[in-house]
Amino acid sequence: MNTKAFGTLIKRELWENKGSLVWTPIIVAAVLALLSCWAVVRGAYEIGHSPEIHLEGEVFKLDLLAEKLNSFTDTERVQAVQAGLMGLRVPFDLLLLIILPFYCVAALYDDRKDRSIYFWRSLPVSDLHTVLAKLATAVVVYPAVVLAAAAAFQLIWMLIATGLSWYVGVSAWSTVWAPSHLPLFWLSSYFHYLLMMLWVLPFFALNLLLSATTKRPLMLAIVLPLVLMLVEKLLTGTEYIADWIGERLVGMATLLWGDMRDMDKMGEHYPFASYSHGLEVFGNGQFWFGLLLSIALLAGAVYARRRLQDV
């Protein structure tokens, strides 16, 4: 595989989907940052209405949060700061889960619909590389874009917390920055993004297959699982498909937010513990079954792209 050509294919995906894949995370981060700054400024002028934070079962005014963090032990401070960072990341996690299914559904459909497929197929790039580039954009590149937007938003809040620390006369480094382990936190977040993408890869692969074969891929992506579950229930009385889909969705949520349920286990070296927690997925047989199923679905998408070139 020509890595330069493959990189160009990925750049093409970002260029053709700049609105959803690039600008949407940036706009979401900018809007959330503006709302956060507005809330803090408003709280500074209206002391009685300062935004509230729920921490350790108690309610604190935002301007007293830094002082509360300073009173924690080192382990408690790490738990609190990194829980806050995870909470700030949640809107971007949801954005990732909303945008990608729509991207995959349209990835191989749009160029068949406008017949630009003939132009792209005239270039010295195989259908396999085209499909893999779209998959890599969804699984590897877009999570990095979303995480970069989330990191920018988190940094805004870190700066706000720094100002609040100075305001109440405590060290911003020991209270906010040191407990955050920011580089490791971001690396751990991306690692979990990748694991989550591999876990739900069958859904993305199915969307790509439908995008390459049908005239209404979005409708089928919604209806097909429901039809399969209904047919299985009527014919056999079992719910294996529903259970399998449910297991995928629960695993997805666990890989993204599972650590938030075990905050008492988050110690000073939480990012490293987070790696070991995520690696457990490799010992799950369903993980490998999902990868094999995804390969079969992607092979079908490549074959269909070669044979079906018009909508």
Side-chain angles (χ1 to χ4, degrees), residues 203-244:
F203 296 150
F204 296 141
L206 176 61
N207 286 350
L208 286 172
L209 176 61
L210 295 175
S211 179
T213 56
T214 67
K215 294 182 178 181
R216 294 179 176 83
L218 178 58
M219 182 183 71
L220 278 176
I222 297 172
V223 172
L224 183 60
L226 298 177
V227 171
L228 291 176
M229 287 187 288
L230 179 60
V231 170
E232 180 198 9
K233 184 66 175 179
L234 293 176
L235 293 181
T236 66
T238 59
E239 298 179 350
Y240 292 120
I241 296 177
D243 291 341
W244 186 82

Side-chain angles (χ1 to χ4, degrees), residues 175-225:
T175 303
V176 179
W177 292 93
S180 68
H181 299 288
L182 269 181
L184 286 175
F185 180 85
W186 290 332
L187 189 60
S188 175
S189 295
Y190 186 63
F191 174 74
H192 279 82
Y193 274 171
L194 293 180
L195 285 182
M196 184 272 292
M197 289 296 172
L198 293 176
W199 180 255
V200 297
L201 190 60
F203 296 150
F204 296 141
L206 176 61
N207 286 350
L208 286 172
L209 176 61
L210 295 175
S211 179
T213 56
T214 67
K215 294 182 178 181
R216 294 179 176 83
L218 178 58
M219 182 183 71
L220 278 176
I222 297 172
V223 172
L224 183 60

Side-chain angles (χ1 to χ4, degrees), residues 256-297:
L256 283 178
W257 309 306
D259 288 324
M260 296 185 74
R261 300 175 305 168
D262 302 311
M263 296 307 296
D264 57 317
K265 298 179 182 179
M266 290 172 59
E268 183 177 355
H269 302 292
Y270 156 71
F272 299 104
S274 182
Y275 280 119
S276 63
H277 174 77
L279 288 173
E280 294 172 2
V281 73
F282 291 111
N284 190 317
Q286 283 294 329
F287 174 79
W288 298 106
F289 171 76
L291 289 185
L292 292 176
L293 178 61
S294 300
I295 292 172
L297 293 171

Side-chain angles (χ1 to χ4, degrees), residues 80 109 114 148 152 159 198 217 304:
Y109 172 77
D114 60 21
L159 293 175
L198 293 176

Side-chain angles (χ1 to χ4, degrees), residues 2-173:
N2 188 324
T3 55
K4 185 176 181 180
F6 191 75
T8 302
L9 287 174
I10 292 179
K11 289 179 182 178
R12 166 206 166 188
E13 294 302 312
L14 294 175
W15 176 71
E16 289 188 339
N17 301 276
K18 186 178 296 185
S20 59
L21 298 186
V22 179
W23 285 111
T24 298
I26 293 175
I27 291 173
V28 169
V31 169
L32 290 176
L34 287 174
L35 290 175
S36 301
C37 292
W38 175 81
V40 171
V41 171
R42 181 175 179 271
Y45 284 96
E46 300 180 23
I47 301 301
H49 299 86
S50 178
E52 297 177 341
I53 296 292
H54 295 264
L55 189 64
E56 298 289 309
E58 302 179 52
V59 179
F60 300 94
K61 298 295 184 181
L62 187 60
D63 53 359
L64 299 178
L65 180 59
E67 188 172 316
K68 177 63 178 178
L69 284 175
N70 190 55
S71 67
F72 284 174
T73 64
D74 290 343
T75 299
E76 291 173 337
R77 197 177 300 128
V78 170
Q79 294 173 358
V81 172
Q82 296 202 353
L85 290 173
M86 292 179 72
L88 293 173
R89 201 194 68 196
V90 167
F92 299 90
D93 297 343
L94 297 177
L95 178 66
L96 186 72
L97 299 177
I98 292 171
I99 293 293
L100 282 185
F102 288 98
Y103 166 75
C104 291
V105 161
L108 299 173
Y109 172 77
D110 288 344
D111 56 1
R112 290 194 301 128
K113 183 178 180 180
D114 60 21
R115 298 192 176 184
S116 63
I117 186 174
Y118 294 109
F119 167 74
W120 294 113
R121 295 197 82 244
S122 68
L123 300 178
V125 178
S126 69
D127 293 307
L128 174 61
H129 290 172
T130 299
V131 172
L132 290 180
K134 294 178 182 295
L135 182 68
T137 300
V139 174
V140 179
V141 178
Y142 189 57
V145 174
V146 169
L147 183 59
F153 179 54
Q154 289 167 338
L155 282 175
I156 294 295
W157 265 103
M158 294 289 284
L159 293 175
I160 291 174
T162 297
L164 294 173
S165 299
W166 290 344
Y167 177 76
V168 298
V170 299
S171 169
W173 173 255

